[in-house]
Every structure is written in C-alpha cells, then in structure tokens.
Amino acid sequence: MTRRPALLAAFALAAAALLAVALALTSRSGTPAENSPEVRFVREMSQHHAQAVDMATRLRERTDDRTLSSLTLDIVLSQQEQIGQMRGWLTLWGLPWGGEGMSAEHARMMGMATPEELNQLDTLPVPDAEAHFLRLMIRHHQGALTMVEPALGDGIRPEVRTLARQIQATQGGEIRLMEDLLRQRGEALPPPPEAAQGGAHEHH
C-alpha cells in the first residue's frame, strides 16, 4: 500500500507531461491575433449562434409539434455548447469574448433575423409562427454555411477548423429537415440570404 502514493504521483506527472505536450502542440502556431480569421470566426459565429438559440427557445415555448420540439431542443443544446467552446478558446487566447462583431448589414447578409422577425415568433398564431420559424432558421443556417467557409482553410488552427466542419455537417442536415417540414405544410421555401446567393463573402 505504501507504493500507492508514489504510483499516483507518477501518474500525475505523466498526465502533466502529456498535457504540456498537448498544449505545446496546439500552441505551436502561436496565439491568434485580434484580427486573425480564427478570432473573427469565433466572435461572429458566437453572435450568430446566440440568435439561433433565442429563436429556438421562443418557438419551443409555444409549439406542441413533436418534431419541432425535438429540433429546437437540439439547436439550443448544440449551439449553446459550441458558444461555450468558442468562448473558452477566446479566454485561452487571452482575448475578450466581445469585440466588434457583425454590423447589422453584415448580420443580415449572413441570414440573421431582424428584431421585427424575432417578435413575430411570439405574436403570430402558433401554426404561422412554426412556419415562420422554419423559414427564418433555414435562412439562418444557410448564412452559417457561408460563414464557415473561411474557417475551413489549411492555415486555420485545427480545433477551429474541426468546429467549422461540425457546424457545416450539422446545419446542412438541419436545413434539409426543415425544408422537408415546410414542404409538408405546403409552404414555400425562403430565398437564401444575400451571401448565399453567390454574393459577398467579405467581412465588414
């Protein structure tokens, strides 16, 4: 039994060494600068995600549709988790969570809803609010697919690129589901946001 503390200490040292190696590997490219593509992506996607969580929460509180209840819960949980992950990176990089963020015009190009559109989720009759949500969230997700493109390049930090791929896969699948739900309701699909029409990919 006397060897147990020594073994535990050895394990702790080994774990610390592995952690140090991991940190060295992840930081080999240096801490991202304030104006780097990684920081811009993380800040803007956090802003984008926050609105998706807001929209999903608003509809979840009103809908009795089981598919929409499940979808809105998935959006809330997954995107809140990703916001926490991105804020954790900013903290590790020694940068504040907040920043310049997207302008109203740029946010609109990336599929974000206006305050008036958000309010309609609370005021429209439930069936109309459900269809309105689907149109808004399809457009919102299409904007996110445009936003991830600059974060998929070879020069991007691997952890950021991995998250961008995850967002691309998840939200692409959710777009297809929501389009099917709109068709089942006899509703027209929304036009894509300006940036997804082959328009601007620039920031600000």
Side-chain angles (χ1 to χ4, degrees), residues 2 18 22 30 49-50 53 58 66 69-70 72 82 84 120 123 125-126 133 157 170 172 177 180 185 195:
T2 57
L18 288 172
H49 272 20
V53 170
R58 288 176 191 241
R66 293 179 62 182
S69 292
S70 177
T72 52
Q82 290 172 350
Q120 288 179 313
T123 58
V126 172
F133 168 82
R157 291 174 68 93
T170 300
L177 169 62
D180 286 343
R185 292 165 180 260

mmCIF file with all atom_site columns, all heavy atoms in Angstrom, residues 2 18 22 30 49-50 53 58 66 69-70 72 82 84 120 123 125-126 133 157 170 172 177 180 185 195:
data_model
loop_
_atom_site.group_PDB
_atom_site.id
_atom_site.type_symbol
_atom_site.label_atom_id
_atom_site.label_alt_id
_atom_site.label_comp_id
_atom_site.label_asym_id
_atom_site.label_entity_id
_atom_site.label_seq_id
_atom_site.pdbx_PDB_ins_code
_atom_site.Cartn_x
_atom_site.Cartn_y
_atom_site.Cartn_z
_atom_site.occupancy
_atom_site.B_iso_or_equiv
_atom_site.pdbx_formal_charge
_atom_site.auth_seq_id
_atom_site.auth_comp_id
_atom_site.auth_asym_id
_atom_site.auth_atom_id
_atom_site.pdbx_PDB_model_num
ATOM 1   N N   . THR A 1 2   ? 2.110   1.100  0.505   1.00 0.00 ? 2   THR A N   1
ATOM 2   C CA  . THR A 1 2   ? 2.950   2.294  0.597   1.00 0.00 ? 2   THR A CA  1
ATOM 3   C C   . THR A 1 2   ? 3.346   2.801  -0.773  1.00 0.00 ? 2   THR A C   1
ATOM 4   O O   . THR A 1 2   ? 3.793   3.922  -0.915  1.00 0.00 ? 2   THR A O   1
ATOM 5   C CB  . THR A 1 2   ? 4.213   1.984  1.424   1.00 0.00 ? 2   THR A CB  1
ATOM 6   O OG1 . THR A 1 2   ? 4.889   0.889  0.807   1.00 0.00 ? 2   THR A OG1 1
ATOM 7   C CG2 . THR A 1 2   ? 3.837   1.645  2.860   1.00 0.00 ? 2   THR A CG2 1
ATOM 8   N N   . LEU A 1 18  ? 1.953   14.900 -20.488 1.00 0.00 ? 18  LEU A N   1
ATOM 9   C CA  . LEU A 1 18  ? 1.123   14.785 -21.695 1.00 0.00 ? 18  LEU A CA  1
ATOM 10  C C   . LEU A 1 18  ? 0.366   16.070 -21.965 1.00 0.00 ? 18  LEU A C   1
ATOM 11  O O   . LEU A 1 18  ? 0.232   16.505 -23.113 1.00 0.00 ? 18  LEU A O   1
ATOM 12  C CB  . LEU A 1 18  ? 0.139   13.619 -21.543 1.00 0.00 ? 18  LEU A CB  1
ATOM 13  C CG  . LEU A 1 18  ? 0.746   12.214 -21.621 1.00 0.00 ? 18  LEU A CG  1
ATOM 14  C CD1 . LEU A 1 18  ? -0.305  11.166 -21.255 1.00 0.00 ? 18  LEU A CD1 1
ATOM 15  C CD2 . LEU A 1 18  ? 1.301   11.950 -23.019 1.00 0.00 ? 18  LEU A CD2 1
ATOM 16  N N   . ALA A 1 22  ? 0.555   18.416 -25.221 1.00 0.00 ? 22  ALA A N   1
ATOM 17  C CA  . ALA A 1 22  ? -0.643  18.789 -25.976 1.00 0.00 ? 22  ALA A CA  1
ATOM 18  C C   . ALA A 1 22  ? -0.742  20.305 -26.120 1.00 0.00 ? 22  ALA A C   1
ATOM 19  O O   . ALA A 1 22  ? -1.059  20.822 -27.193 1.00 0.00 ? 22  ALA A O   1
ATOM 20  C CB  . ALA A 1 22  ? -1.882  18.247 -25.270 1.00 0.00 ? 22  ALA A CB  1
ATOM 21  N N   . GLY A 1 30  ? 1.181   29.689 -32.359 1.00 0.00 ? 30  GLY A N   1
ATOM 22  C CA  . GLY A 1 30  ? 1.058   30.950 -31.646 1.00 0.00 ? 30  GLY A CA  1
ATOM 23  C C   . GLY A 1 30  ? -0.390  31.279 -31.336 1.00 0.00 ? 30  GLY A C   1
ATOM 24  O O   . GLY A 1 30  ? -1.314  30.683 -31.858 1.00 0.00 ? 30  GLY A O   1
ATOM 25  N N   . HIS A 1 49  ? -24.786 32.160 -33.406 1.00 0.00 ? 49  HIS A N   1
ATOM 26  C CA  . HIS A 1 49  ? -25.363 31.078 -32.610 1.00 0.00 ? 49  HIS A CA  1
ATOM 27  C C   . HIS A 1 49  ? -26.332 31.611 -31.563 1.00 0.00 ? 49  HIS A C   1
ATOM 28  O O   . HIS A 1 49  ? -27.372 30.999 -31.296 1.00 0.00 ? 49  HIS A O   1
ATOM 29  C CB  . HIS A 1 49  ? -24.247 30.302 -31.909 1.00 0.00 ? 49  HIS A CB  1
ATOM 30  C CG  . HIS A 1 49  ? -23.661 29.185 -32.711 1.00 0.00 ? 49  HIS A CG  1
ATOM 31  N ND1 . HIS A 1 49  ? -23.761 29.096 -34.083 1.00 0.00 ? 49  HIS A ND1 1
ATOM 32  C CD2 . HIS A 1 49  ? -22.951 28.085 -32.311 1.00 0.00 ? 49  HIS A CD2 1
ATOM 33  C CE1 . HIS A 1 49  ? -23.137 27.996 -34.484 1.00 0.00 ? 49  HIS A CE1 1
ATOM 34  N NE2 . HIS A 1 49  ? -22.647 27.368 -33.436 1.00 0.00 ? 49  HIS A NE2 1
ATOM 35  N N   . ALA A 1 50  ? -25.967 32.721 -30.923 1.00 0.00 ? 50  ALA A N   1
ATOM 36  C CA  . ALA A 1 50  ? -26.805 33.260 -29.854 1.00 0.00 ? 50  ALA A CA  1
ATOM 37  C C   . ALA A 1 50  ? -28.208 33.575 -30.373 1.00 0.00 ? 50  ALA A C   1
ATOM 38  O O   . ALA A 1 50  ? -29.207 33.340 -29.674 1.00 0.00 ? 50  ALA A O   1
ATOM 39  C CB  . ALA A 1 50  ? -26.162 34.509 -29.253 1.00 0.00 ? 50  ALA A CB  1
ATOM 40  N N   . VAL A 1 53  ? -30.168 30.280 -30.833 1.00 0.00 ? 53  VAL A N   1
ATOM 41  C CA  . VAL A 1 53  ? -30.656 29.798 -29.541 1.00 0.00 ? 53  VAL A CA  1
ATOM 42  C C   . VAL A 1 53  ? -31.898 30.579 -29.121 1.00 0.00 ? 53  VAL A C   1
ATOM 43  O O   . VAL A 1 53  ? -32.880 30.003 -28.633 1.00 0.00 ? 53  VAL A O   1
ATOM 44  C CB  . VAL A 1 53  ? -29.544 29.909 -28.480 1.00 0.00 ? 53  VAL A CB  1
ATOM 45  C CG1 . VAL A 1 53  ? -30.101 29.641 -27.079 1.00 0.00 ? 53  VAL A CG1 1
ATOM 46  C CG2 . VAL A 1 53  ? -28.409 28.928 -28.789 1.00 0.00 ? 53  VAL A CG2 1
ATOM 47  N N   . ARG A 1 58  ? -37.728 30.596 -28.270 1.00 0.00 ? 58  ARG A N   1
ATOM 48  C CA  . ARG A 1 58  ? -39.037 31.238 -28.426 1.00 0.00 ? 58  ARG A CA  1
ATOM 49  C C   . ARG A 1 58  ? -40.070 30.261 -28.984 1.00 0.00 ? 58  ARG A C   1
ATOM 50  O O   . ARG A 1 58  ? -41.199 30.188 -28.486 1.00 0.00 ? 58  ARG A O   1
ATOM 51  C CB  . ARG A 1 58  ? -38.925 32.449 -29.364 1.00 0.00 ? 58  ARG A CB  1
ATOM 52  C CG  . ARG A 1 58  ? -38.194 33.646 -28.775 1.00 0.00 ? 58  ARG A CG  1
ATOM 53  C CD  . ARG A 1 58  ? -38.058 34.738 -29.824 1.00 0.00 ? 58  ARG A CD  1
ATOM 54  N NE  . ARG A 1 58  ? -37.151 35.797 -29.424 1.00 0.00 ? 58  ARG A NE  1
ATOM 55  C CZ  . ARG A 1 58  ? -37.518 37.078 -29.275 1.00 0.00 ? 58  ARG A CZ  1
ATOM 56  N NH1 . ARG A 1 58  ? -38.776 37.446 -29.480 1.00 0.00 ? 58  ARG A NH1 1
ATOM 57  N NH2 . ARG A 1 58  ? -36.630 38.003 -28.928 1.00 0.00 ? 58  ARG A NH2 1
ATOM 58  N N   . ARG A 1 66  ? -44.123 17.684 -32.135 1.00 0.00 ? 66  ARG A N   1
ATOM 59  C CA  . ARG A 1 66  ? -43.038 16.891 -31.549 1.00 0.00 ? 66  ARG A CA  1
ATOM 60  C C   . ARG A 1 66  ? -41.729 17.030 -32.324 1.00 0.00 ? 66  ARG A C   1
ATOM 61  O O   . ARG A 1 66  ? -40.647 17.091 -31.737 1.00 0.00 ? 66  ARG A O   1
ATOM 62  C CB  . ARG A 1 66  ? -43.446 15.415 -31.483 1.00 0.00 ? 66  ARG A CB  1
ATOM 63  C CG  . ARG A 1 66  ? -44.587 15.147 -30.510 1.00 0.00 ? 66  ARG A CG  1
ATOM 64  C CD  . ARG A 1 66  ? -44.975 13.688 -30.476 1.00 0.00 ? 66  ARG A CD  1
ATOM 65  N NE  . ARG A 1 66  ? -43.877 12.846 -30.013 1.00 0.00 ? 66  ARG A NE  1
ATOM 66  C CZ  . ARG A 1 66  ? -43.951 11.508 -29.929 1.00 0.00 ? 66  ARG A CZ  1
ATOM 67  N NH1 . ARG A 1 66  ? -45.051 10.884 -30.311 1.00 0.00 ? 66  ARG A NH1 1
ATOM 68  N NH2 . ARG A 1 66  ? -42.923 10.814 -29.496 1.00 0.00 ? 66  ARG A NH2 1
ATOM 69  N N   . SER A 1 69  ? -40.348 20.428 -31.514 1.00 0.00 ? 69  SER A N   1
ATOM 70  C CA  . SER A 1 69  ? -39.852 20.443 -30.134 1.00 0.00 ? 69  SER A CA  1
ATOM 71  C C   . SER A 1 69  ? -38.475 19.797 -30.055 1.00 0.00 ? 69  SER A C   1
ATOM 72  O O   . SER A 1 69  ? -37.565 20.300 -29.378 1.00 0.00 ? 69  SER A O   1
ATOM 73  C CB  . SER A 1 69  ? -40.827 19.708 -29.208 1.00 0.00 ? 69  SER A CB  1
ATOM 74  O OG  . SER A 1 69  ? -42.036 20.414 -29.078 1.00 0.00 ? 69  SER A OG  1
ATOM 75  N N   . SER A 1 70  ? -38.309 18.681 -30.756 1.00 0.00 ? 70  SER A N   1
ATOM 76  C CA  . SER A 1 70  ? -37.020 17.994 -30.768 1.00 0.00 ? 70  SER A CA  1
ATOM 77  C C   . SER A 1 70  ? -35.959 18.820 -31.478 1.00 0.00 ? 70  SER A C   1
ATOM 78  O O   . SER A 1 70  ? -34.825 18.951 -30.996 1.00 0.00 ? 70  SER A O   1
ATOM 79  C CB  . SER A 1 70  ? -37.175 16.632 -31.449 1.00 0.00 ? 70  SER A CB  1
ATOM 80  O OG  . SER A 1 70  ? -35.932 15.968 -31.547 1.00 0.00 ? 70  SER A OG  1
ATOM 81  N N   . THR A 1 72  ? -35.864 22.125 -32.013 1.00 0.00 ? 72  THR A N   1
ATOM 82  C CA  . THR A 1 72  ? -35.487 23.340 -31.276 1.00 0.00 ? 72  THR A CA  1
ATOM 83  C C   . THR A 1 72  ? -34.607 22.999 -30.077 1.00 0.00 ? 72  THR A C   1
ATOM 84  O O   . THR A 1 72  ? -33.663 23.730 -29.773 1.00 0.00 ? 72  THR A O   1
ATOM 85  C CB  . THR A 1 72  ? -36.727 24.124 -30.831 1.00 0.00 ? 72  THR A CB  1
ATOM 86  O OG1 . THR A 1 72  ? -37.627 23.248 -30.125 1.00 0.00 ? 72  THR A OG1 1
ATOM 87  C CG2 . THR A 1 72  ? -37.452 24.735 -32.009 1.00 0.00 ? 72  THR A CG2 1
ATOM 88  N N   . GLN A 1 82  ? -21.493 24.948 -28.253 1.00 0.00 ? 82  GLN A N   1
ATOM 89  C CA  . GLN A 1 82  ? -20.462 25.494 -29.137 1.00 0.00 ? 82  GLN A CA  1
ATOM 90  C C   . GLN A 1 82  ? -20.096 26.924 -28.757 1.00 0.00 ? 82  GLN A C   1
ATOM 91  O O   . GLN A 1 82  ? -18.929 27.320 -28.871 1.00 0.00 ? 82  GLN A O   1
ATOM 92  C CB  . GLN A 1 82  ? -20.933 25.410 -30.588 1.00 0.00 ? 82  GLN A CB  1
ATOM 93  C CG  . GLN A 1 82  ? -20.971 23.980 -31.102 1.00 0.00 ? 82  GLN A CG  1
ATOM 94  C CD  . GLN A 1 82  ? -21.606 23.850 -32.476 1.00 0.00 ? 82  GLN A CD  1
ATOM 95  O OE1 . GLN A 1 82  ? -22.192 24.795 -33.003 1.00 0.00 ? 82  GLN A OE1 1
ATOM 96  N NE2 . GLN A 1 82  ? -21.524 22.660 -33.053 1.00 0.00 ? 82  GLN A NE2 1
ATOM 97  N N   . GLY A 1 84  ? -20.050 28.026 -25.710 1.00 0.00 ? 84  GLY A N   1
ATOM 98  C CA  . GLY A 1 84  ? -19.142 27.847 -24.577 1.00 0.00 ? 84  GLY A CA  1
ATOM 99  C C   . GLY A 1 84  ? -17.747 27.437 -25.013 1.00 0.00 ? 84  GLY A C   1
ATOM 100 O O   . GLY A 1 84  ? -16.745 27.915 -24.474 1.00 0.00 ? 84  GLY A O   1
ATOM 101 N N   . GLN A 1 120 ? -42.204 38.299 -34.230 1.00 0.00 ? 120 GLN A N   1
ATOM 102 C CA  . GLN A 1 120 ? -43.310 37.551 -34.829 1.00 0.00 ? 120 GLN A CA  1
ATOM 103 C C   . GLN A 1 120 ? -43.370 36.112 -34.335 1.00 0.00 ? 120 GLN A C   1
ATOM 104 O O   . GLN A 1 120 ? -44.434 35.488 -34.353 1.00 0.00 ? 120 GLN A O   1
ATOM 105 C CB  . GLN A 1 120 ? -43.205 37.591 -36.359 1.00 0.00 ? 120 GLN A CB  1
ATOM 106 C CG  . GLN A 1 120 ? -43.543 38.949 -36.952 1.00 0.00 ? 120 GLN A CG  1
ATOM 107 C CD  . GLN A 1 120 ? -43.412 38.946 -38.464 1.00 0.00 ? 120 GLN A CD  1
ATOM 108 O OE1 . GLN A 1 120 ? -42.430 38.465 -39.027 1.00 0.00 ? 120 GLN A OE1 1
ATOM 109 N NE2 . GLN A 1 120 ? -44.417 39.479 -39.136 1.00 0.00 ? 120 GLN A NE2 1
ATOM 110 N N   . THR A 1 123 ? -45.755 36.504 -31.526 1.00 0.00 ? 123 THR A N   1
ATOM 111 C CA  . THR A 1 123 ? -47.066 37.120 -31.722 1.00 0.00 ? 123 THR A CA  1
ATOM 112 C C   . THR A 1 123 ? -47.940 36.426 -32.765 1.00 0.00 ? 123 THR A C   1
ATOM 113 O O   . THR A 1 123 ? -49.167 36.529 -32.697 1.00 0.00 ? 123 THR A O   1
ATOM 114 C CB  . THR A 1 123 ? -46.897 38.597 -32.119 1.00 0.00 ? 123 THR A CB  1
ATOM 115 O OG1 . THR A 1 123 ? -46.115 38.676 -33.323 1.00 0.00 ? 123 THR A OG1 1
ATOM 116 C CG2 . THR A 1 123 ? -46.177 39.377 -31.015 1.00 0.00 ? 123 THR A CG2 1
ATOM 117 N N   . PRO A 1 125 ? -50.039 33.498 -34.683 1.00 0.00 ? 125 PRO A N   1
ATOM 118 C CA  . PRO A 1 125 ? -50.668 32.238 -34.259 1.00 0.00 ? 125 PRO A CA  1
ATOM 119 C C   . PRO A 1 125 ? -49.672 31.094 -34.397 1.00 0.00 ? 125 PRO A C   1
ATOM 120 O O   . PRO A 1 125 ? -48.810 31.101 -35.287 1.00 0.00 ? 125 PRO A O   1
ATOM 121 C CB  . PRO A 1 125 ? -51.836 32.084 -35.233 1.00 0.00 ? 125 PRO A CB  1
ATOM 122 C CG  . PRO A 1 125 ? -52.124 33.474 -35.706 1.00 0.00 ? 125 PRO A CG  1
ATOM 123 C CD  . PRO A 1 125 ? -50.804 34.185 -35.737 1.00 0.00 ? 125 PRO A CD  1
ATOM 124 N N   . VAL A 1 126 ? -49.792 30.103 -33.515 1.00 0.00 ? 126 VAL A N   1
ATOM 125 C CA  . VAL A 1 126 ? -48.756 29.057 -33.435 1.00 0.00 ? 126 VAL A CA  1
ATOM 126 C C   . VAL A 1 126 ? -48.439 28.403 -34.777 1.00 0.00 ? 126 VAL A C   1
ATOM 127 O O   . VAL A 1 126 ? -47.259 28.278 -35.139 1.00 0.00 ? 126 VAL A O   1
ATOM 128 C CB  . VAL A 1 126 ? -49.136 28.007 -32.367 1.00 0.00 ? 126 VAL A CB  1
ATOM 129 C CG1 . VAL A 1 126 ? -48.164 26.825 -32.417 1.00 0.00 ? 126 VAL A CG1 1
ATOM 130 C CG2 . VAL A 1 126 ? -49.099 28.632 -30.980 1.00 0.00 ? 126 VAL A CG2 1
ATOM 131 N N   . PHE A 1 133 ? -40.750 30.286 -38.176 1.00 0.00 ? 133 PHE A N   1
ATOM 132 C CA  . PHE A 1 133 ? -39.502 29.808 -37.583 1.00 0.00 ? 133 PHE A CA  1
ATOM 133 C C   . PHE A 1 133 ? -38.698 28.998 -38.593 1.00 0.00 ? 133 PHE A C   1
ATOM 134 O O   . PHE A 1 133 ? -37.477 29.176 -38.720 1.00 0.00 ? 133 PHE A O   1
ATOM 135 C CB  . PHE A 1 133 ? -39.799 28.953 -36.355 1.00 0.00 ? 133 PHE A CB  1
ATOM 136 C CG  . PHE A 1 133 ? -38.603 28.187 -35.843 1.00 0.00 ? 133 PHE A CG  1
ATOM 137 C CD1 . PHE A 1 133 ? -37.670 28.794 -35.026 1.00 0.00 ? 133 PHE A CD1 1
ATOM 138 C CD2 . PHE A 1 133 ? -38.407 26.853 -36.198 1.00 0.00 ? 133 PHE A CD2 1
ATOM 139 C CE1 . PHE A 1 133 ? -36.561 28.093 -34.564 1.00 0.00 ? 133 PHE A CE1 1
ATOM 140 C CE2 . PHE A 1 133 ? -37.310 26.145 -35.740 1.00 0.00 ? 133 PHE A CE2 1
ATOM 141 C CZ  . PHE A 1 133 ? -36.386 26.771 -34.925 1.00 0.00 ? 133 PHE A CZ  1
ATOM 142 N N   . ARG A 1 157 ? -6.266  27.202 -37.471 1.00 0.00 ? 157 ARG A N   1
ATOM 143 C CA  . ARG A 1 157 ? -5.964  26.311 -36.354 1.00 0.00 ? 157 ARG A CA  1
ATOM 144 C C   . ARG A 1 157 ? -6.868  25.076 -36.408 1.00 0.00 ? 157 ARG A C   1
ATOM 145 O O   . ARG A 1 157 ? -8.069  25.187 -36.696 1.00 0.00 ? 157 ARG A O   1
ATOM 146 C CB  . ARG A 1 157 ? -6.155  27.042 -35.025 1.00 0.00 ? 157 ARG A CB  1
ATOM 147 C CG  . ARG A 1 157 ? -5.133  28.131 -34.762 1.00 0.00 ? 157 ARG A CG  1
ATOM 148 C CD  . ARG A 1 157 ? -5.482  28.894 -33.495 1.00 0.00 ? 157 ARG A CD  1
ATOM 149 N NE  . ARG A 1 157 ? -5.337  28.063 -32.310 1.00 0.00 ? 157 ARG A NE  1
ATOM 150 C CZ  . ARG A 1 157 ? -4.225  27.999 -31.563 1.00 0.00 ? 157 ARG A CZ  1
ATOM 151 N NH1 . ARG A 1 157 ? -3.163  28.714 -31.895 1.00 0.00 ? 157 ARG A NH1 1
ATOM 152 N NH2 . ARG A 1 157 ? -4.183  27.240 -30.497 1.00 0.00 ? 157 ARG A NH2 1
ATOM 153 N N   . THR A 1 170 ? -23.725 19.539 -39.399 1.00 0.00 ? 170 THR A N   1
ATOM 154 C CA  . THR A 1 170 ? -24.955 19.549 -38.604 1.00 0.00 ? 170 THR A CA  1
ATOM 155 C C   . THR A 1 170 ? -26.012 20.464 -39.211 1.00 0.00 ? 170 THR A C   1
ATOM 156 O O   . THR A 1 170 ? -27.178 20.080 -39.391 1.00 0.00 ? 170 THR A O   1
ATOM 157 C CB  . THR A 1 170 ? -24.649 20.007 -37.168 1.00 0.00 ? 170 THR A CB  1
ATOM 158 O OG1 . THR A 1 170 ? -23.712 19.101 -36.580 1.00 0.00 ? 170 THR A OG1 1
ATOM 159 C CG2 . THR A 1 170 ? -25.920 20.026 -36.328 1.00 0.00 ? 170 THR A CG2 1
ATOM 160 N N   . GLY A 1 172 ? -26.164 21.702 -42.240 1.00 0.00 ? 172 GLY A N   1
ATOM 161 C CA  . GLY A 1 172 ? -26.588 21.242 -43.562 1.00 0.00 ? 172 GLY A CA  1
ATOM 162 C C   . GLY A 1 172 ? -27.696 20.214 -43.452 1.00 0.00 ? 172 GLY A C   1
ATOM 163 O O   . GLY A 1 172 ? -28.687 20.253 -44.196 1.00 0.00 ? 172 GLY A O   1
ATOM 164 N N   . LEU A 1 177 ? -33.870 18.901 -43.279 1.00 0.00 ? 177 LEU A N   1
ATOM 165 C CA  . LEU A 1 177 ? -35.025 18.530 -42.462 1.00 0.00 ? 177 LEU A CA  1
ATOM 166 C C   . LEU A 1 177 ? -36.063 19.651 -42.464 1.00 0.00 ? 177 LEU A C   1
ATOM 167 O O   . LEU A 1 177 ? -37.269 19.407 -42.660 1.00 0.00 ? 177 LEU A O   1
ATOM 168 C CB  . LEU A 1 177 ? -34.579 18.240 -41.031 1.00 0.00 ? 177 LEU A CB  1
ATOM 169 C CG  . LEU A 1 177 ? -35.705 18.090 -39.994 1.00 0.00 ? 177 LEU A CG  1
ATOM 170 C CD1 . LEU A 1 177 ? -36.616 16.918 -40.335 1.00 0.00 ? 177 LEU A CD1 1
ATOM 171 C CD2 . LEU A 1 177 ? -35.121 17.938 -38.589 1.00 0.00 ? 177 LEU A CD2 1
ATOM 172 N N   . ASP A 1 180 ? -37.966 19.984 -45.686 1.00 0.00 ? 180 ASP A N   1
ATOM 173 C CA  . ASP A 1 180 ? -38.993 18.943 -45.786 1.00 0.00 ? 180 ASP A CA  1
ATOM 174 C C   . ASP A 1 180 ? -40.218 19.307 -44.950 1.00 0.00 ? 180 ASP A C   1
ATOM 175 O O   . ASP A 1 180 ? -41.366 19.102 -45.380 1.00 0.00 ? 180 ASP A O   1
ATOM 176 C CB  . ASP A 1 180 ? -38.436 17.599 -45.324 1.00 0.00 ? 180 ASP A CB  1
ATOM 177 C CG  . ASP A 1 180 ? -37.482 16.978 -46.339 1.00 0.00 ? 180 ASP A CG  1
ATOM 178 O OD1 . ASP A 1 180 ? -37.497 17.421 -47.513 1.00 0.00 ? 180 ASP A OD1 1
ATOM 179 O OD2 . ASP A 1 180 ? -36.719 16.066 -45.957 1.00 0.00 ? 180 ASP A OD2 1
ATOM 180 N N   . ARG A 1 185 ? -46.006 21.213 -45.020 1.00 0.00 ? 185 ARG A N   1
ATOM 181 C CA  . ARG A 1 185 ? -47.032 22.182 -44.628 1.00 0.00 ? 185 ARG A CA  1
ATOM 182 C C   . ARG A 1 185 ? -47.573 22.956 -45.831 1.00 0.00 ? 185 ARG A C   1
ATOM 183 O O   . ARG A 1 185 ? -48.404 23.841 -45.664 1.00 0.00 ? 185 ARG A O   1
ATOM 184 C CB  . ARG A 1 185 ? -46.433 23.168 -43.619 1.00 0.00 ? 185 ARG A CB  1
ATOM 185 C CG  . ARG A 1 185 ? -46.094 22.537 -42.276 1.00 0.00 ? 185 ARG A CG  1
ATOM 186 C CD  . ARG A 1 185 ? -45.171 23.426 -41.440 1.00 0.00 ? 185 ARG A CD  1
ATOM 187 N NE  . ARG A 1 185 ? -44.872 22.786 -40.171 1.00 0.00 ? 185 ARG A NE  1
ATOM 188 C CZ  . ARG A 1 185 ? -45.466 23.079 -39.022 1.00 0.00 ? 185 ARG A CZ  1
ATOM 189 N NH1 . ARG A 1 185 ? -46.383 24.038 -38.983 1.00 0.00 ? 185 ARG A NH1 1
ATOM 190 N NH2 . ARG A 1 185 ? -45.158 22.448 -37.908 1.00 0.00 ? 185 ARG A NH2 1
ATOM 191 N N   . ALA A 1 195 ? -25.615 36.556 -48.930 1.00 0.00 ? 195 ALA A N   1
ATOM 192 C CA  . ALA A 1 195 ? -24.274 35.982 -49.024 1.00 0.00 ? 195 ALA A CA  1
ATOM 193 C C   . ALA A 1 195 ? -24.295 34.590 -49.635 1.00 0.00 ? 195 ALA A C   1
ATOM 194 O O   . ALA A 1 195 ? -23.311 34.158 -50.232 1.00 0.00 ? 195 ALA A O   1
ATOM 195 C CB  . ALA A 1 195 ? -23.622 35.934 -47.644 1.00 0.00 ? 195 ALA A CB  1
#
